Amino acid sequence: FIVGYYGLPFVMSLYLQQMRGLSALGAGAAFLPMMLIGAALTPFSARLAEKLGARLLIIAGLVLMTAGLVAIATVAPAAPVWGLALLMTLTGLGGPLVMPPMTAVLLNSVPGHCAGTASGIFNTSRQAGGALAVAVFGALLASRAGFLTGLRVSLLIAAGIALAAATVSTRLTPPLDPEKEVTR
């Protein structure tokens, strides 16, 4: 998830500024719909997870993210910036649909005395995934194949990882009932 969620802003901000000639402010404005949809939906993600189940929400978020990343990777280079901004909202939807339920699944799956360790490992892996995405995608953007090829390959890699995560997420099971849980 994080590969796409951190990778998309990295490659698209460079694309919008270097290839499309937008200012930093203009590139930031293109991300506004993506960020606003995430900010608007995040407060409701816990309720949605209660109604629909965390697994369904996580899978839906990852599938939406995959669709958005593939769409952006395959869109024509001259597509209007507003169209790119709308496509990026699919990735923006992934954040609130994936991260809060995934965090809850993780923390509800470990004994209380391990919650701090689990949270620390989770956040470390999140940061490592983001750093790895930026490093790999940066190398792809600077490769001999050219910026646009590197951009497309980066987004398709992120889409492949998001799709793989969605597939693995189908195996998520509800946490054990704490009253029936045996000591681990």
Side-chain angles (χ1 to χ4, degrees), residues 6-181:
Y6 283 19
L8 175 79
F10 173 69
V11 298
M12 288 303 292
S13 63
L14 291 173
Y15 168 74
L16 291 170
Q17 291 177 67
Q18 293 180 4
M19 303 301 287
R20 299 297 292 269
L22 272 76
S23 66
L25 182 61
F31 285 97
L32 199 55
M34 176 182 157
M35 295 298 133
L36 289 176
I37 197 88
L41 189 57
T42 297
F44 303 103
S45 61
R47 282 190 216 134
L48 285 171
E50 287 174 10
K51 283 185 176 184
L52 303 173
R55 177 175 49 182
L56 179 63
L57 221 54
I58 292 167
I59 293 168
L62 290 166
V63 168
L64 285 170
M65 174 179 265
T66 300
L69 291 166
V70 169
I72 295 166
T74 58
V75 75
V81 173
W82 64 264
L84 294 172
L86 287 177
L87 290 174
M88 287 190 291
T89 61
L90 293 171
T91 300
L93 283 168
L97 294 178
V98 174
M99 190 54 69
M102 186 180 354
T103 304
V105 166
L106 170 75
L107 294 178
N108 290 330
S109 297
V110 297
H113 68 278
C114 294
T117 302
S119 178
I121 292 170
F122 178 65
N123 285 316
T124 300
S125 66
R126 217 173 47 138
Q127 295 302 318
L132 185 60
V134 168
V136 170
F137 294 174
L140 288 169
L141 293 175
S143 72
R144 289 184 184 207
F147 188 93
L148 285 177
T149 299
L151 172 79
R152 287 190 171 115
V153 170
S154 296
L155 293 173
L156 292 173
I157 288 170
I161 291 171
L163 184 59
T167 302
V168 170
S169 296
T170 62
R171 302 194 59 172
L172 285 173
T173 57
L176 296 173
D177 183 348
E179 293 179 14
K180 295 180 183 174
E181 187 174 329

